[in-house]
């Protein structure tokens, strides 16, 4: 069996950097307008600017009394109450100026009148008639957010390329954007390979395996802002495999699973080689997922002209497929979706029991983070290796073991990737 060119096995860091470099050069997708609620989970294609200061007026953060801090430097102080200001109060009902010796009753979210520079919480006051006793001093600025302190009129509230979450949607709403421009979702072809793989509607024979990878990938693709296109299962037979790979190369990105290891029937690289694909790496020093392949294929007559299509060959073991998608395919997909480049976000967690591994691979092992507050700790899920999707389904994170790590003691802090 001809071997697909010289293998290029990179460290995790170099492999990730390679993907990031290619991702930084992909073209922006098309733009479409959508209603604000439909924009959740989409990627913003235009910056959203503040159409007014945030807050638009000096906002009281408490129910209490708007005062001049200097007037209450010594307590108990007694002040004249010259008005009551509720949230949304019209301008003519708000005292024009709070002079020395005066106060105004004020509610949370109401505008602090000129002259006042702080709000005393109602809990530290006692009003009798038009006089209020102030029992506690405040610093200038206390319990008041100045106009424009959160954002200045005209400044960018949400940058282009942001994956819109609840807070970003709230900002767009604050700026009065009932419709926003988002990027079109890239189409991501998913091609599962293997003679033993059967569709989930079929009754598997005794040695056959149902196709789960296309489904985990479809979910991951959606989460990363793409539109999965599931292709038929490819057999380990070069001609049929080639036809399906050519089909997949018509999408914006092609993800293949299985057929990239060193086995006699691992034909994916061979077929891509025939299609004059360029390979950027054919392995990474990680576990799970060592045989992961990344490249670009532009030579196929049916691939999109000139630009070529990036592809990943993800190892077929279900956990390897999931992990290598997150580590390598996701940044490329996010770039194709118009998203600004993201670094992986790690957290540190306290290890519940010692981990011993052979050095040489950077490992991303399924683990459970549990316990609240100071009792939070992480522990590996016992598993049967990278085919054990049942164990991985019980995990809520991956423990990241450095390439040179061999023994990490209980109680030590270790990097984790949340999943
Ligand atoms: P391969 O990468 O083709 O050597 O496959 C590695 C392992 O993953 C084998 O045990 C396959 O049966 C399994 N596998 C490959 N593709 C899938 C799939 N789509 N769904 C579930 N398991 C798979
Ligand atoms: Mg296979």
């Amino acid at each position: 069996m001809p071997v697909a060119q010289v293998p290029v096995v990179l460290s995790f860091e170099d492999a990730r950097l390679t993907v990031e470099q290619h991702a930084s050069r992909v073209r922006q997708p098309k733009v479409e307008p959508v209603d604000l609620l439909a924009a959740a989970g989409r990627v913003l294609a235009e910056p959203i600017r503040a159409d007014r200061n945030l807050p638009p007026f000096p906002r009281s953060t408490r129910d209490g009394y708007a005062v001049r801090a200097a007037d209450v430097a010594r307590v108990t102080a007694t002040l004249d109450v010259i008005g009551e200001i509720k949230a949304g109060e019209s301008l003519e009902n708000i005292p024009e100026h709070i002079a020395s010796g005066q106060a105004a009753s004020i509610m949370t979210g109401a505008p602090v009148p000129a002259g006042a520079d702080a709000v005393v919480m109602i809990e530290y006051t006692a009003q009798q008639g038009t006089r209020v006793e102030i029992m506690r001093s405040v610093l200038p600025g206390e319990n008041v957010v100045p106009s424009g302190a959160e954002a200045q009129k005209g400044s960018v509230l949400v940058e282009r390329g942001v994956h819109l979450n609840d807070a970003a949607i709230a900002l767009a709403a604050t700026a009065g954007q009932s419709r926003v421009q988002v990027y079109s979702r890239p189409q991501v072809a998913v091609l599962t390979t293997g003679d033993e793989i059967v569709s989930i509607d079929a009754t598997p024979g005794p040695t056959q395996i149902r196709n789960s990878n296309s489904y985990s990938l479809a979910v991951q693709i959606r989460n990363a802002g793409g539109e999965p296109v599931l292709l038929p299962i490819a057999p380990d037979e070069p001609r049929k495999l080639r036809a399906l790979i050519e089909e997949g190369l018509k999408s914006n990105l092609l993800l293949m699973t299985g057929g990239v290891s060193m086995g006699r029937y691992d034909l994916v690289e061979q077929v891509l080689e025939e299609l004059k694909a360029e390979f950027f790496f054919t392995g990474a020093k990680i576990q799970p997922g060592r045989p992961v392949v990344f490249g670009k294929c532009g030579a196929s007559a049916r691939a999109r002209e000139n630009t070529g299509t990036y592809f990943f060959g993800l190892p077929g073991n279900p956990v390897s497929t999931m992990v290598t998608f997150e580590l390598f395919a996701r940044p490329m997909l996010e770039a194709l979706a118009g998203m600004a480049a993201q670094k992986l976000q790690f957290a540190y967690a306290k290890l519940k029991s010692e981990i011993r591994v052979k050095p040489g691979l950077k490992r991303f092992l399924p683990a459970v983070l549990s316990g609240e507050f100071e009792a939070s700790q992480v522990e590996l899920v016992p598993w049967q290796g990278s085919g054990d999707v049942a164990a991985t389904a019980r995990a809520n994170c991956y423990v990241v073991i450095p390439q040179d790590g061999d023994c990490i003691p209980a109680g030590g802090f270790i990097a984790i990737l949340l999943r």
Side-chain angles (χ1 to χ4, degrees), residues 128-258:
Q128 264 165 4
T130 60
R131 306 275 286 164
V132 63
E133 272 188 10
I134 306 288
M135 270 84 80
R136 190 181 275 202
S137 298
V138 278
L139 294 171
E142 205 169 322
N143 301 324
V144 180
V145 182
S147 173
E150 292 161 356
Q152 291 285 322
K153 178 179 177 173
S155 66
V156 175
L157 293 176
V158 192
E159 300 277 357
R160 188 176 65 80
V162 164
H163 198 195
L164 293 165
N165 64 7
D166 47 1
I169 294 284
L171 276 174
T174 300
Q177 299 264 341
S178 51
R179 273 171 89 70
V180 292
Q181 300 285 344
V182 297
Y183 288 120
S184 304
R185 295 181 195 274
Q187 293 215 322
V188 183
V190 177
L191 179 57
T192 266
T193 75
D195 282 339
E196 78 282 26
I197 309 300
V198 296
S199 141
I200 59 171
D201 308 315
T203 306
T207 58
Q208 291 181 317
I209 300 293
R210 289 197 184 96
N211 172 19
S212 65
N213 287 348
S214 294
Y215 295 88
S216 54
L217 282 174
V219 174
Q220 291 175 294
I221 289 165
R222 286 215 177 105
N223 286 343
E227 192 73 65
V229 180
L230 303 195
L231 296 173
I233 297 164
D236 293 321
E237 191 278 300
R239 216 169 40 84
K240 291 187 181 133
L241 180 58
R242 178 176 170 145
L244 285 165
I245 288 179
E246 286 185 309
E247 181 65 27
L249 288 168
K250 292 187 211 160
S251 285
N252 302 104
L253 177 65
L254 169 61
L255 302 183
M256 294 159 282
T257 87

Side-chain angles (χ1 to χ4, degrees), residues 70-98:
D71 282 355
V72 298
R74 295 233 310 264
V75 286
T76 303
T78 305
L79 303 173
D80 288 330
V81 181
I82 62 162
E84 182 188 89
I85 312 163
K86 56 184 186 342
E89 190 70 75
S90 61
L91 283 179
E92 58 266 29
N93 294 335
I94 298 174
E96 238 166 63
H97 189 80
I98 302 288

